[in-house]
Structures are given as C-alpha cells and as structure tokens.
Amino acid sequence: MIRRFFRKAISIFPLLKNPYFVTIFVYAIWMIFFDENNLLTQWKRYSTLKELKAKESFYRNNINSMKEQLAELQTNSALKEKFAREHYYMKRDNEDVFVFIDKEPEKKQAKPWWQKIF
C-alpha cells in the first residue's frame, strides 16, 4: 500500500528520485519553519530594528534642537531671563509671581459593559 503510494508520487513528481533535491528541500523547510532563526523570528527582529531606528532619529533630532536652545540660552540674556521666569518661577525684587494651577478633571470610573448598554 505504502509502496504503491510512493511509486505514484515518484511517477507524478520525478524530482523526488533525486536525493540532492530532497535534501535541499528538507533543509529549506527546516530553515524556514523550525530553525531558531526562522522567517517569523527574522521578521519580528526586522520590525523591532525599524522601530528602534525611528526612535533613534527622533532622539537625535531632539538632542540637536536642545543643543540649539542651549546655545541660544548661553548667548542671549533676555532669553535666559524668560526661561528662568517660566521654568523656575524666578522674579525681580519688586514683582509678585502668581501661579495658576488648573484642577485635574475628575476621572470617571469605567462602567461595566452591561451598564453601557442600558
């Protein structure tokens, strides 16, 4: 029974007689699906690498803009005063500083799904 099946399979697919083809085919299937570095793993690593490169470019742009702001702060005294007033609430001797803090809106508790329906 099994011999007849293999004979029919070999007559339909003559490449199955070639041991080199069978070996390469089995090796390719093994590498694509079962190996530690299979296609799915490689795809996940590639997508992670793309995300990390995007983050790297974002942070590099951020660093460059911060360096420009730092250079401006070190050279411009009016900008330095403005920065100190806004970020550290510094004031002159004859001034009063009023800080207005907005109240955070109360967070609504999430309702269960059955209460959202009715």
Side-chain angles (χ1 to χ4, degrees), residues 23-38:
T23 305
I24 291 172
F25 182 74
V26 169
Y27 177 75
I29 296 297
W30 182 265
M31 293 304 287
I32 290 172
F33 296 109
F34 302 114
D35 191 44
E36 183 178 322
N37 298 315
N38 59 23

Side-chain angles (χ1 to χ4, degrees), residues 82-105:
K82 178 183 174 189
F83 184 82
R85 286 173 177 266
E86 289 177 356
H87 291 279
Y88 298 111
Y89 307 116
M90 292 186 170
K91 64 181 185 81
R92 292 189 179 142
D93 291 335
N94 58 355
E95 291 180 338
D96 292 329
V97 175
F98 296 98
V99 179
F100 296 100
I101 300 174
D102 294 332
K103 285 187 177 179
E104 293 182 17

Side-chain angles (χ1 to χ4, degrees), residues 8 18 26 29 31 33 45 47-48 61 75 79 81-82 85 92 94 100-101 103 107-108 114:
K8 269 191 174 179
N18 189 344
V26 169
I29 296 297
M31 293 304 287
F33 296 109
R45 288 178 183 165
S47 61
T48 305
N61 291 337
T75 57
L79 192 61
E81 181 181 346
K82 178 183 174 189
R85 286 173 177 266
R92 292 189 179 142
N94 58 355
F100 296 100
I101 300 174
K103 285 187 177 179
K107 294 182 181 179
K108 295 181 180 178
W114 62 86

